[in-house]
Every structure is written in structure tokens, then in C-alpha cells.
Amino acid sequence: QVQLQESGPRLVKPWETLSLTCTVSNGSISSSSYFWGWIRQPPGQGLEWLADISFSGTTYYNPSLKSRLTISIDTSKSQFSLTLTSVIATDTAVYYCARRIANWNYFDPWGQGTLVTVSS
Amino acid sequence: DIQMTQSPSSLSGSEGDRVTITCRSSQHITRYLNWYQHKLGKAPKLLIYSASTLQSGVPPRFSGSGYGTDFTLTISSLQPEDSAIYYCQQSYNFPWTFGQGTKVEIK
């Protein structure tokens, strides 16, 4: 079945840009039935949806972070990516990528997650 | 944003117990409610979508119900492997939002 794997730096300095990539395997990223998204979980806190993108590049952002977020997709590599600019300590979190199923809009499956720490 | 409120925040049960988790949305979301199980260090796992549809491969001891603003996740016979944090998520409107989680422990 389809699998997702996050990759990217584990440590980012304050005010710099966090960049993560999710690689999709054992399935097609180019389907109108799916969107591709990012969700994060700060230590000891709940889950926060960040952004979604369709295979054609239509994007959806959480308004609370929209000014700092960019999501993009590269269908030729079966990858989608997230950048978060001007990070601060509260952006420290486990970042998950996930597939969102259109219509009912649930997330399945999820990647294992990657802990990104913002620290100098 | 639609606020999702789960209760209780934690619960403890014995093997074989029936346990119920409640999720309430701040707005009417019809059946656009999903449940996830999250074990430490692992990827969250979809259990139920559209309030009551069991995801393929999920044991039938898990069930969901509800409509509108009030939803429940029930584990009919608690098993040791059910120790996890459970989250609800509304998928009615952007931004998608999650409950704060319910930690389930086995006595």
C-alpha cells in the first residue's frame, strides 16, 4: 500500500526557513481522488493541520500560518514539500505528511513523522 | 475555525472493558468526523471516517457514532494494544481541526 516518508533537517535556527519533503511510494501522487498534506504536533500538544495540495497544484493553507507557509508538489519525483519561514521556538514539533482522501477529507495514511527543533 | 472538544482527556480501563470517548464540535458538521489512534513514535492511524465507517483492517471492536455536533468512539472490549491517544478530526470546513486527544491506558 502507499507509504509516505518525511525528510529534511532536524535542526533549524531561529528566523531561518524550515524545509521538509515527503516522498510517496507504492502509489500514484497524480490522482484527483487525493490531496497531500502536512500536519504538525508540538511536544505535549495536539495535532495542527498546516496545508494541503492537489496533484495539479491547488493549495489550501491554515490561515493562522498562511503568511509563512508554502506547499508545493513535484509529481515527476512523487514528492511534495513544505516550507515554513521565520521559524521560532514554538515551531518545534513533529511534522507529519499525510494523504487526504477527497470528499470525506480524512487523512490516510500518514508518514512516521520527523521532529524538527528550532534552536540556535 | 471549528473547535473540537474531546472528553475525557484520559481514561484507564481493564482488559475487556467497554470505553467511550466523546467529541463535540463547535459547529454543525453533519457526519464529517474522523477518528485516529496515535501510539508513541508511530504514525497516526485512521480508525473511523464519516463518523461511523470503519477503516479497512481496523478491528470491529472499534465503532463510531454521531451526527451534527456530538460524536462518540467506542471500544467494545479494551485490549492491551489499544493503549494510545485517540483524536477526532472535523473534515467539514477548512481549516481541518483536531480534538486535543484522549489518552487511553490499560490497568
Side-chain angles (χ1 to χ4, degrees):
Chain A
Q1 67 258 22
V2 65
Q3 294 181 312
L4 288 77
Q5 179 66 56
E6 304 89 351
S7 60
R10 302 295 197 265
L11 181 65
V12 182
K13 290 182 168 56
W15 305 110
E16 294 191 349
T17 296
L18 178 161
S19 296
L20 294 170
T21 295
C22 184
T23 301
V24 180
S25 58
N26 299 328
S28 175
I29 200 171
S30 300
S31 168
S32 59
S33 297
Y34 308 128
F35 295 83
W36 305 94
W38 290 94
I39 298 142
R40 72 178 181 180
Q41 184 173 36
Q45 298 185 40
L47 297 162
E48 179 182 33
W49 170 75
L50 300 177
D52 288 343
I53 190 167
S54 71
F55 79 96
S56 60
T58 302
T59 57
Y60 307 86
Y61 292 103
N62 191 320
S64 67
L65 289 162
K66 184 176 181 178
S67 62
R68 296 197 292 138
L69 283 172
T70 302
I71 189 171
S72 60
I73 193 165
D74 185 338
T75 55
S76 67
K77 295 182 179 179
S78 285
Q79 294 178 332
F80 61 103
S81 300
L82 184 79
T83 62
L84 178 65
T85 60
S86 303
V87 296
I88 57 176
T90 53
D91 294 312
T92 294
V94 176
Y95 287 76
Y96 297 95
C97 59
R99 182 181 68 177
R100 173 166 69 87
I101 311 305
N103 298 325
W104 285 108
N105 301 317
Y106 55 86
F107 292 97
D108 180 68
W110 298 51
Q112 286 286 106
T114 185
L115 174 62
V116 179
T117 302
V118 178
S119 175
S120 54
Chain B
D1 297 5
I2 298 175
Q3 306 303 316
M4 307 301 293
T5 304
Q6 286 182 235
S7 62
S9 55
S10 66
L11 66 87
S12 180
S14 300
E15 186 172 348
D17 280 356
R18 180 183 181 93
V19 300
T20 298
I21 299 168
T22 296
C23 179
R24 176 165 290 176
S25 58
S26 62
Q27 299 176 29
H28 194 282
I29 59 172
T30 66
R31 298 180 61 83
Y32 284 85
L33 190 284
N34 313 304
W35 290 98
Y36 302 88
Q37 177 192 64
H38 192 193
K39 297 183 179 181
L40 190 64
K42 295 198 171 184
K45 175 185 175 183
L46 176 72
L47 297 176
I48 288 167
Y49 63 93
S50 69
S52 61
T53 303
L54 197 67
Q55 173 67 341
S56 176
V58 174
R61 63 180 180 274
F62 291 93
S63 65
S65 65
Y67 181 86
T69 60
D70 293 295
F71 303 87
T72 59
L73 172 70
T74 299
I75 308 173
S76 61
S77 177
L78 199 61
Q79 299 300 305
E81 60 267 31
D82 299 337
S83 179
I85 300 177
Y86 293 82
Y87 293 95
C88 61
Q89 176 233 336
Q90 67 81 16
S91 54
Y92 184 77
N93 263 347
F94 286 106
W96 316 126
T97 48
F98 295 83
Q100 80 279 17
T102 295
K103 186 175 184 179
V104 174
E105 295 179 314
I106 314 300
K107 290 178 186 174

